[in-house]
Amino acid sequence: MSKKDFDDETLMAFADGELDETQSRALEEALASNEALCERLAVFLDSRQLVGDALKPLIDEPVPEALFASVRRMADEVRHQKPQDNVVSFRPKQQQQTMRRWLVPVAASLVAIVTGVVGFALGRINPSASNSGAEIAAVLDREVSGRDVTLSSPETVLHVVASFRDERGELCREYELKQPKSSTLTVACRQNGAWATRLALTSAKADGYVPASSQETIDAYLASIQAGEPLSPEEEREVLAPE
Amino acid sequence: MTYDTQTVPERLVAFLPNLRRFAISLCRSRELADDLVQMACERAILAADSFVPGSRFDAWMFRILRNLWIDHLRRQKTAGPQGDLEDARDVSIPSGEAASLARMDLLEVTAALQKLPAEQREVLVLVCVEEFSYRDAAEVLAIPIGTVMSRLARARKNLMELTGISFGERRSPDSKGGVL
């Protein structure tokens, strides 16, 4: 293989780790015996390093206070103007843990909004759901998280999302009641042996996921009551079946 | 990506140092860079709906900022010649940097970067500083990947010529550059 088989862009792609395996292997072989090729490659290796060394440290410079404050203010303004609208996506359940972690610092500012939403949402709980209150309570007492339980009321599936303890150490469970046309996301905590609903949000169904806005509200609420990390399956089994 | 659940404004705040670094390397003036960052943030917040969840947030932000920068350059051109390179003087080496390179070399590189045409500098910064892939850089700059590669190769050869730092000397396996 002659050295003119490797043009500058190929050498550069190799230096940047963007060359495919076959070409990389061919080039490596050629480099072993071709000094001039090594020097041409060095241009691309060195330039990357030099530019990185010169400019990367800029990231350590403190952002000017005025700039930071102004962007922070813009961000806060949108959040207060339209608390439900800045939600970016539907989100699978597995990410809730991350959510809780980062939400804690902003929780304080959200409590006011959430309280407003709670009052509204509580009035809208699906009446058929309350009929099956005893049945739900039994499931909450017994079932570990992550499983679907079909209730006796037609086409209603209860899915316990997670268990955790609130700021007073009471056992709380987040669960979803899935019905054909809607789903209700609820946080209930055990008080004097009974399950007290703390927050419930009903929303029209969207492909098996609770719309992100409801989830956002739930997560903000959990942060506001200083909900702990979700219990592990072992911890959960222990609290559900103390004997 | 664990950040997928954050809203655009929240991610912006966390992304400010990166955004500012990109702005400084593009426009070579901290004052101008801060204005650009501020405008880019405003625009991003207004256009938050156009951010596709799951796509690269940094690429999206860089594109917004770069478009503002291009706008600025265009206006400047029609407004007559400006002290382009003079403005750039305040881009010097960040203080307190534990140099893996001699300070002189860094100054030479910075000076050489400033002499490169804007289109070469931006692709260089995206790939060698922000560590974007060619494909991602192509998307930020809205040019084909082949153009990214030819421009980038030219930029790097120019840079090495301008710095006059001889090849080979610089390479040592343990001097991994940068602070990222």
Side-chain angles (χ1 to χ4, degrees):
Chain A
M1 193 172 293
S2 81
K3 72 178 177 185
K4 58 180 182 294
D5 285 329
F6 300 101
D7 60 12
D8 281 344
E9 287 167 27
T10 306
L11 289 169
M12 179 183 76
F14 181 76
D16 290 338
E18 296 231 11
L19 203 59
D20 68 49
E21 213 176 306
T22 321
Q23 280 185 294
S24 295
R25 209 168 300 141
L27 178 55
E28 276 165 24
E29 269 171 39
L31 284 167
S33 60
N34 188 336
E35 190 88 4
L37 196 60
C38 291
E39 281 191 13
R40 284 175 57 215
L41 174 65
V43 171
F44 297 107
L45 288 169
D46 289 352
S47 55
R48 185 180 182 112
Q49 170 119 29
L50 285 171
V51 174
D53 283 348
L55 294 181
K56 279 183 178 177
L58 282 174
I59 205 167
D60 293 331
E61 265 186 34
V63 175
E65 196 51 48
L67 176 63
F68 187 82
S70 135
V71 174
R72 178 90 260 173
R73 194 165 49 240
M74 285 192 271
D76 285 347
E77 271 166 24
V78 244
R79 188 160 53 220
H80 288 114
Q81 275 166 16
K82 32 174 197 172
Q84 300 286 314
D85 285 354
N86 53 6
V87 168
V88 290
S89 65
F90 288 164
R91 172 171 37 80
K93 301 254 182 253
Q94 296 88 283
Q95 292 177 17
Q96 278 179 24
Q97 244 170 297
T98 334
M99 282 287 293
R100 275 173 207 160
R101 250 196 321 278
W102 70 257
L103 256 168
V104 173
V106 299
S109 63
L110 280 172
V111 172
I113 297 164
V114 171
T115 320
V117 177
V118 178
F120 174 66
L122 284 177
R124 293 177 49 207
I125 299 180
N126 194 332
S128 70
S130 57
N131 291 340
S132 46
E135 199 182 359
I136 292 173
V139 175
L140 293 181
D141 278 335
R142 180 184 79 222
E143 290 293 333
V144 292
S145 298
R147 216 169 291 161
D148 280 339
V149 179
T150 308
L151 300 183
S152 57
S153 30
E155 298 184 87
T156 304
V157 172
L158 192 157
H159 176 89
V160 184
V161 178
S163 307
F164 53 88
R165 293 195 179 279
D166 71 1
E167 79 272 37
R168 280 173 302 193
E170 274 165 354
L171 178 67
C172 299
R173 308 202 77 183
E174 178 184 344
Y175 67 89
E176 192 183 349
L177 212 52
K178 296 186 243 186
Q179 288 175 310
K181 286 193 182 130
S182 69
S183 84
T184 306
L185 204 51
T186 305
V187 174
C189 298
R190 198 137 69 178
Q191 271 174 323
N192 308 321
W195 289 99
T197 298
R198 293 275 192 89
L199 174 71
L201 296 169
T202 302
S203 50
K205 203 154 198 167
D207 290 340
Y209 284 130
V210 174
S213 55
S214 310
Q215 189 62 57
E216 213 90 33
T217 310
I218 291 274
D219 288 332
Y221 175 72
L222 293 180
S224 76
I225 63 167
Q226 291 167 28
E229 292 288 325
L231 302 183
S232 70
E234 291 77 11
E235 292 171 319
E236 193 169 76
R237 263 192 296 277
E238 219 170 282
V239 288
L240 292 177
E243 263 72 37
Chain B
M1 248 198 160
T2 53
Y3 291 120
D4 272 1
T5 54
Q6 282 181 289
T7 61
V8 165
E10 279 152 358
R11 291 173 73 164
L12 259 184
V13 174
F15 192 61
L16 275 178
N18 288 72
L19 196 56
R20 188 167 177 269
R21 175 173 71 181
F22 183 61
I24 294 175
S25 20
L26 278 195
C27 68
R28 305 168 295 175
S29 147
R30 282 177 175 73
E31 208 180 322
L32 198 50
D34 289 346
D35 288 348
L36 269 182
V37 168
Q38 159 98 23
M39 284 192 288
C41 290
E42 269 172 40
R43 197 164 279 197
I45 286 172
L46 288 174
D49 290 347
S50 70
F51 174 66
V52 180
S55 64
R56 284 190 71 153
F57 179 75
D58 53 358
W60 185 70
M61 273 321 296
F62 285 166
R63 195 161 49 232
I64 291 177
L65 188 131
R66 181 195 170 254
N67 288 343
L68 287 166
W69 169 238
I70 303 275
D71 279 354
H72 171 87
L73 285 181
R74 208 175 291 134
R75 271 198 309 274
Q76 211 180 36
K77 215 170 258 174
T78 54
Q82 303 251 332
D84 197 18
L85 274 176
E86 293 313 307
D87 290 348
R89 282 291 142 79
D90 70 331
V91 180
S92 54
I93 313 306
S95 54
E97 203 239 333
S100 60
L101 271 179
R103 200 181 154 77
M104 278 311 293
D105 283 358
L106 275 183
L107 284 171
E108 269 174 55
V109 175
T110 316
L113 275 167
Q114 292 179 5
K115 286 182 202 144
L116 290 180
E119 59 168 35
Q120 290 185 18
R121 196 168 59 243
E122 65 185 4
V123 73
L124 202 55
V125 166
L126 278 174
V127 173
C128 300
V129 181
E130 303 300 336
E131 302 191 340
F132 273 48
S133 67
Y134 297 162
R135 183 174 303 282
D136 288 338
E139 205 178 298
V140 172
L141 303 174
I143 53 175
I145 197 164
T147 311
V148 165
M149 290 179 70
S150 54
R151 219 177 257 182
L152 184 61
R154 224 174 312 128
R156 284 154 89 160
K157 291 177 88 169
N158 285 346
L159 182 91
M160 295 310 277
E161 258 169 49
L162 286 167
T163 55
I165 296 169
S166 56
F167 311 147
E169 274 175 22
R170 190 50 52 212
R171 264 169 313 140
S172 64
D174 54 351
S175 70
K176 273 268 179 328
V179 284
L180 272 184

